Amino acid sequence: MNKGAFYKLSYGLYVVTSGDERKFNGQIANTVFQVTSEPPTVAVSINKQNYTHECILSSRRFAVSILEEATPMTMIGRFGFKCGRDINKFDGIKVRKGKTGVPIVTEHSLAFIEAEVKGEMDCGTHTLFLGQVVECDVLDAAAEPMTYAYYHKVKGGKSPKNAPTYQKEEPQQPAASAAAKAARYTCSVCGYIYDPEKGDPEGKIPPGTRFEDLPAEWVCPVCGAGKDKFEKEL
């Protein structure tokens, strides 16, 4: 079985929010799709271990913010690699209260959808929630939605272990002709790969900067881990 076929499926990148007046939470998701047009219904796949899953189960409602290509990795890291049980993910993030009462992330979002849960399917590690749309709107018609392919190839992002598309990647052996190239380093917390050829544009690190030459205060652009959490690729 060649699981690489799954990478040929099209995905987006979204912030799914849920909860009630006691506690709200949000997370990055890549499996959101429209099921029917009348009534308008969408589905979202959420890992059972995630706090957002608990919030959707209890509140029976959720909102989806569709992220734009310009979304910084720090924001993706906040919603994708940190736990809402430990931090308030909305702190410092632009949101607005939706029709259902669930906060809608408007920062770097080009559109949003609000839904009330009408059904669910147990998928083992995940639950597929079916939501009937109660409100939706376009926030920025000119912005381009971030696809999962763009997130991987351009942003250098990785899938969290709780993501439905997560696949364990084996370290690649460099070709002999590339031996002289500066080594890449992988974040042991979130899987982000620092590639010297690309640098870290959002962190103002120019292409060609070796990992060893990064400032001591530099941190992973996704999860905020320090340089000591990075491991050299073999």
Side-chain angles (χ1 to χ4, degrees), residues 5-214:
F6 296 135
Y7 289 133
K8 301 303 181 182
L9 292 172
S10 297
Y11 299 93
L13 209 64
Y14 318 94
V15 175
V16 176
T17 52
S18 186
D20 53 36
E21 288 68 22
R22 293 170 297 174
K23 176 74 174 184
F24 292 106
N25 192 53
Q27 68 160 78
I28 292 292
N30 60 19
T31 309
V32 178
F33 56 95
Q34 184 177 353
V35 179
T36 62
S37 60
E38 192 59 45
T41 306
V42 295
V44 58
S45 179
I46 304 292
N47 191 287
K48 293 177 181 178
Q49 296 182 19
N50 291 356
Y51 185 41
T52 303
H53 184 278
E54 180 181 325
C55 292
I56 295 177
L57 278 179
S58 61
S59 70
R60 313 300 294 175
R61 53 189 177 175
F62 62 85
V64 177
S65 295
I66 303 172
L67 298 179
E68 64 174 351
E69 287 184 347
T71 304
M73 292 296 281
T74 50
M75 180 174 167
I76 296 173
R78 171 190 287 261
F79 284 99
F81 292 92
K82 297 183 183 297
C83 180
R85 296 184 179 92
D86 303 324
I87 67 168
N88 177 9
K89 294 189 180 184
F90 302 107
D91 187 25
I93 299 293
K94 294 179 181 178
V95 300
R96 82 183 198 197
K97 188 176 182 179
K99 187 174 181 179
T100 63
V102 172
I104 297 168
V105 174
T106 57
E107 189 167 343
H108 294 291
S109 298
L110 54 88
F112 73 88
I113 300 169
E114 285 188 88
E116 295 178 343
V117 175
K118 297 300 181 181
E120 59 206 70
M121 177 183 292
D122 190 322
C123 300
T125 58
H126 290 65
T127 297
L128 188 68
F129 292 102
L130 291 175
Q132 186 170 320
V133 178
V134 297
E135 183 64 279
C136 57
D137 200 3
V138 175
L139 303 176
D140 187 348
E144 289 292 329
M146 186 187 299
T147 64
Y148 210 52
Y150 185 93
Y151 169 65
H152 277 277
K153 294 179 181 179
V154 180
K155 293 284 191 177
K158 297 295 178 181
S159 302
K161 290 184 177 180
N162 285 351
T165 53
Y166 172 76
Q167 293 183 34
K168 184 177 180 180
E169 297 183 9
E170 299 297 332
Q172 297 181 352
Q173 296 296 329
S177 60
K181 284 187 176 182
R184 303 197 311 174
Y185 282 73
T186 302
C187 177
S188 62
V189 177
C190 70
Y192 169 81
I193 296 177
Y194 176 77
D195 187 343
E197 291 188 2
K198 297 179 180 179
D200 174 18
E202 293 181 4
K204 298 183 179 179
I205 302 298
T209 304
R210 301 188 311 161
F211 182 84
E212 295 82 356
D213 297 331
L214 291 172

